[in-house]
Amino acid sequence: MKVGIVGFGNIGKVLSFSLIHSEFGIKEMVIYDQDPSTSGAILDLQHASYAYREIKISNEGKKNLEACDFILHCAGVGVKKGGNRLETVKVNQEVSREIFADLTLQKDCKIIVVTNPVDIISYFTWKYSKLPANQVVGTGTLLDTYRLKYELDQENISFQNAKIIGEHGESMFIAQGNELIEDDDLQKDILKRVRTSARRIKETQEATIFGVCQAALEIFKALQNEEEQVLPISIQCPSDINPSGVYCGLMSKISHKGAFCDCSQINSADLKRLKNSISVLETAIVSAS
């Protein structure tokens, strides 16, 4: 297996280090980052790759991405402290265009987008990569679902069926297919905590790192399994919900065949909230285009 890491900042480094210790059978890793200051970190990673088994790690240019089976897209500017993910749309759209628009990727290549705003950048990555939509996904609201479970646990509330869907942003919401929180005020408070998680992390840390890396790794693993796993990830909305190809956080069936939306559990109230999220994302895409 040949894996590409696009963008070698905090997240790219953690993901690549995690992958060389995995049992996924990775034989080669291609790192693409135009910043020359990353060369030392790449050399450091190359040294680490010899601890258990040799994995060829190269950074010889983006054309090498064309032979990859998987690409993890982490490139772009981060959200500033106190900022909004949507503020990074235009810059990170252009970064994605520069990377993918002139590549001819393997027909079965799968891309996992981590770059924010993840729903919108997943959409543009799909457009530029020319791959089928079920092969381009984003971490989406899987990270928010981790955060929701954490906050529910702090309140001693069962979180077995907890999930966040919609935009990975201000319009995200707790899916109500299974009632979790009877107290409306408590539900609003917990959702606020989830929405502001990144801001609280950035009070003492440059960026959110570990949660989103875990989400990317979970999706990476699911995309290799024969057995389907259902996760809330950023995926293209079904045409009957939105015909323009917008990506949004939705429950999805994931396997080695790709990711496919599973909207069977969406009730009428959730559908209304979902369409609001999609409207926010669609407006941002139109503004950037």
Side-chain angles (χ1 to χ4, degrees):
M1 187 193 305
K2 188 171 184 176
V3 175
I5 304 289
V6 177
F8 205 59
N10 289 322
I11 291 171
K13 291 172 184 174
V14 171
L15 282 174
S16 58
F17 184 69
S18 299
L19 288 171
I20 67 171
H21 287 86
S22 71
E23 300 301 320
F24 294 127
I26 297 170
K27 300 296 183 184
E28 187 172 353
M29 186 178 292
V30 174
I31 297 172
Y32 176 65
D33 193 312
Q34 291 182 302
D35 185 349
S37 70
T38 61
S39 60
I42 293 170
L43 179 60
D44 196 10
L45 182 69
Q46 288 169 327
H47 294 164
S49 71
Y50 282 81
Y52 300 103
R53 63 186 186 279
E54 180 183 350
I55 299 174
K56 182 182 178 182
I57 299 175
S58 64
N59 61 331
E60 298 170 355
K62 71 176 183 179
K63 274 294 182 181
N64 283 340
L65 295 170
E66 293 185 332
C68 287
D69 303 293
F70 282 87
I71 296 173
L72 290 102
H73 178 12
C74 318
V77 298
V79 181
K80 294 180 180 179
K81 184 177 179 179
N84 185 295
R85 294 179 184 91
L86 295 179
E87 294 170 355
T88 65
V89 170
K90 289 188 177 181
V91 174
N92 290 344
Q93 176 205 355
E94 180 58 25
V95 169
S96 301
R97 187 201 61 77
E98 186 277 329
I99 294 165
F100 293 103
D102 61 349
L103 292 179
T104 303
L105 300 173
Q106 296 277 354
K107 66 176 183 178
D108 294 325
C109 177
K110 297 179 179 69
I111 301 176
I112 301 170
V113 178
V114 182
T115 301
N116 269 317
V118 68
D119 304 295
I120 298 170
I121 300 305
S122 296
Y123 167 82
F124 282 119
T125 300
W126 162 65
K127 295 282 282 187
Y128 296 139
S129 71
K130 301 174 285 293
L131 290 172
N134 67 297
Q135 292 173 214
V136 180
V137 301
T139 49
T141 52
L142 181 55
L143 172 57
D144 301 304
T145 297
Y146 294 162
R147 291 167 171 171
L148 173 62
K149 290 179 178 180
Y150 170 82
E151 296 297 344
L152 291 172
D153 191 47
Q154 305 313 296
E155 301 290 340
N156 295 313
I157 299 173
S158 172
F159 53 79
Q160 184 176 356
N161 297 312
K163 53 186 176 287
I164 295 277
I165 58 176
E167 174 200 10
H168 176 58
E170 292 300 314
S171 65
M172 70 175 73
F173 60 95
I174 301 172
Q176 294 299 309
N178 295 285
E179 292 293 337
L180 294 165
I181 309 168
E182 295 180 0
D183 186 324
D184 285 343
D185 289 336
L186 179 58
Q187 176 167 292
K188 290 177 182 177
D189 181 58
I190 288 174
L191 183 57
K192 181 180 179 180
R193 286 184 242 163
V194 173
R195 284 174 173 159
T196 59
S197 290
R199 294 176 193 170
R200 287 184 283 132
I201 289 168
K202 289 178 183 178
E203 288 176 3
T204 59
Q205 180 171 285
E206 180 183 351
T208 58
I209 302 170
F210 303 110
V212 72
C213 284
Q214 181 57 47
L217 290 169
E218 186 171 0
I219 296 168
F220 182 81
K221 182 178 180 180
L223 284 169
Q224 295 175 69
N225 290 340
E226 290 190 12
E227 184 177 344
E228 284 185 341
Q229 186 173 354
V230 179
L231 295 171
I233 64 171
S234 188
I235 192 171
Q236 191 171 78
C237 295
S239 58
D240 59 335
I241 294 178
N242 181 273
S244 59
V246 171
Y247 274 60
C248 196
L250 291 166
M251 299 307 295
S252 307
K253 294 178 179 179
I254 311 170
S255 71
H256 68 286
K257 297 179 181 178
F260 301 87
C261 180
D262 179 11
C263 293
S264 59
Q265 300 299 314
I266 294 181
N267 60 26
S268 57
D270 283 352
L271 183 59
K272 183 177 180 180
R273 296 185 188 99
L274 179 62
K275 288 185 175 180
N276 175 60
S277 260
I278 291 170
S279 177
V280 170
L281 293 164
E282 198 167 30
T283 298
I285 287 171
V286 170
S287 297
S289 299

